[in-house]
Amino acid sequence: MEKIGEWERMSLIYELTQGQELARQLVAQLNAPSSSDESKEILAQKIEASYEKALSLVNCNATGGTVGMLESSASRCASPPSDDSDRCIGEPEASKKRKSGQPRWTHRVRVRPEMVLEGSLDDGFNWRKYGQKDILGSKYPRGYYRCIHRSVGGCLATKQVQRSDDDPTIFEITYIGTHTCSNVTSNLMSLPAPVTSDEKNQEQGPSPCMEHFYHNQKQSSQDLLVSFQKDLNVENQHLDRTYTNSFPYISTPSNVVFSMSPSVIIDNNGVGNVLPSGFVSPTTSRINFSLPTLDGVAANSAMSLAAVGLDFPFGSSQLDHNFTFDNNGFFPQGP
DNA sequence: CTGATTTGACCGCT
DNA sequence: AGCGGTCAAATCAG
């Protein structure tokens, strides 16, 4: 769908305007000898993040995202609950069939060694590994994970984690299907619930890209993030390329950078039925956003990454506490 | 002992 | 026919 929806347009304008304002602030600081290098760099990072968001918005649309994506995914993926037999527990027909009709999108995740060791990388869901397979043409095996609530809540969300051949620190995580377990997960507040096509049409909500964008947007106003980015600022000096961004899912004690970097893959083969209950329309206040903590379920994903071939032969004391996490729209909010 | 992971085998799709 | 996704028994870990 080539037409940019109102959501996207407003967001784009907002983001570009914010980038412009930040640029002005940066210029002002550059002219003010009293300002610290640190604050300048923070501003620069914010500007970069702002443009990344804007670019991601454009990319969402360019890849068939947003409105059109919602529609296509609605017709193909999000059948009404009553008709959703393949999402039910013990449904034999769904057992070994490929989920060709499921919404599917890929994130590239740069993980740094200590994040695996510390267990700080997580997307907020509880995953259980159910398989691993060597993939033709890939150096590293692909790990298969399903939502831990599959048996209890009938949640059929799965993800595949594969280490990149080119850059071993990058993992490509493909999410398949949406979580239907929001009401059975005690530690997750606003999980995206399955949305029928009708619901989507009524809500006019964002695509996953948009949803994540607004998550970023909401969080970007948080003071906590500012201080958080200060930490990042220091650590970025040790990194060749780490994108900082306003990301709502911050594991508070550790210095984790979640980002929507330009390298993000938005493999939206019909994505879009993710509509978190915590989503706030741009026409409404951008508050009501809570910072999650990922600690409760972090170890699971850490092991997930370790299981797909990430071996770090050095101690945590030598590790740099930073990594980037490219994400678009699948993450829930924590408690 | 219980729950999670591993791994070989099976099955569907291309 | 080959590949990818899933199952399920075996194994491991807490």
Side-chain angles (χ1 to χ4, degrees):
Chain A
M1 215 43 91
E2 67 285 352
K3 183 183 177 183
I4 295 181
E6 188 66 14
W7 278 88
E8 290 78 3
R9 196 178 69 85
M10 291 175 61
S11 307
L12 199 54
I13 292 170
Y14 177 90
E15 206 53 52
L16 291 172
T17 305
Q18 186 166 348
Q20 187 181 34
E21 177 58 29
L22 288 167
R24 286 201 190 100
Q25 292 178 24
L26 181 60
V27 169
Q29 292 218 6
L30 288 172
N31 293 330
S34 59
S35 66
S36 67
D37 290 342
E38 187 181 6
S39 59
K40 291 172 187 170
E41 186 151 354
I42 289 174
L43 276 173
Q45 289 173 2
K46 285 181 176 180
I47 293 168
E48 184 182 12
S50 217
Y51 279 101
E52 285 171 14
K53 289 179 206 169
L55 283 170
S56 71
L57 279 169
V58 175
N59 285 336
C60 279
N61 286 283
T63 53
T66 63
V67 177
M69 198 162 58
L70 283 168
E71 289 171 353
S72 61
S73 66
S75 59
R76 291 188 291 124
C77 311
S79 53
S82 60
D83 190 30
D84 209 2
S85 59
D86 66 341
R87 296 190 179 192
C88 297
I89 315 165
E91 170 60 39
E93 292 179 35
S95 61
K96 291 184 178 179
K97 285 184 179 178
R98 292 182 190 175
K99 297 175 179 178
S100 57
Q102 293 279 354
R104 181 187 183 109
W105 57 99
T106 301
H107 307 286
R108 298 191 79 185
V109 176
R110 170 164 291 167
V111 61
R112 302 186 62 209
E114 75 281 5
M115 303 321 298
V116 172
L117 296 175
E118 293 176 2
S120 298
L121 174 65
D122 186 52
D123 54 18
F125 289 99
N126 290 315
W127 299 101
R128 176 165 301 156
K129 190 174 186 177
Y130 65 88
Q132 178 173 307
K133 198 158 183 65
D134 290 326
I135 299 301
L136 202 71
S138 297
K139 283 191 283 189
Y140 305 100
R142 176 180 299 166
Y144 297 90
Y145 301 84
R146 65 164 61 104
C147 179
I148 201 170
H149 299 294
R150 182 188 181 92
S151 58
V152 178
C155 179
L156 290 187
T158 62
K159 73 172 179 181
Q160 301 171 0
V161 180
Q162 182 154 25
R163 191 175 178 177
S164 170
D165 288 344
D166 299 330
D167 188 346
T169 65
I170 291 179
F171 290 81
E172 294 185 4
I173 302 179
T174 301
Y175 293 97
I176 302 167
T178 54
H179 282 270
T180 61
C181 57
S182 58
N183 52 349
V184 298
T185 309
S186 59
N187 61 331
L188 299 173
M189 226 172 54
S190 302
L191 295 181
V195 183
T196 67
S197 56
D198 288 343
E199 285 170 335
K200 274 178 283 196
N201 291 336
Q202 290 167 5
E203 292 285 347
Q204 291 291 313
S207 66
C209 295
M210 288 302 300
E211 168 215 343
H212 185 65
F213 168 79
Y214 279 109
H215 278 190
N216 288 339
Q217 199 65 275
K218 282 173 262 182
Q219 182 55 24
S220 65
S221 62
Q222 301 277 340
D223 290 340
L224 186 142
L225 181 67
V226 174
S227 60
F228 171 66
Q229 286 185 327
K230 286 181 181 178
D231 292 337
L232 298 177
N233 185 35
V234 175
E235 292 166 17
N236 281 348
Q237 297 170 4
H238 308 294
L239 293 174
D240 291 338
R241 187 165 173 81
T242 295
Y243 300 98
T244 60
N245 204 341
S246 308
F247 194 89
Y249 310 104
I250 298 169
S251 183
T252 45
S254 52
N255 300 320
V256 183
V257 181
F258 295 94
S259 76
M260 292 169 66
S261 80
S263 66
V264 67
I265 292 177
I266 305 170
D267 185 19
N268 292 321
N269 302 324
V271 191
N273 51 353
V274 179
L275 192 61
S277 57
F279 182 79
V280 181
S281 159
T283 59
T284 63
S285 168
R286 289 193 291 117
I287 54 175
N288 300 331
F289 189 83
S290 62
L291 271 177
T293 58
L294 304 174
D295 300 338
V297 287
N300 191 22
S301 286
M303 286 189 288
S304 300
L305 290 172
V308 291
L310 186 61
D311 299 321
F312 299 107
F314 31 80
S316 58
S317 61
Q318 299 172 265
L319 301 174
D320 194 359
H321 287 241
N322 204 344
F323 84 113
T324 64
F325 193 95
D326 301 341
N327 168 57
N328 264 344
F330 194 73
F331 293 118
Q333 298 175 22

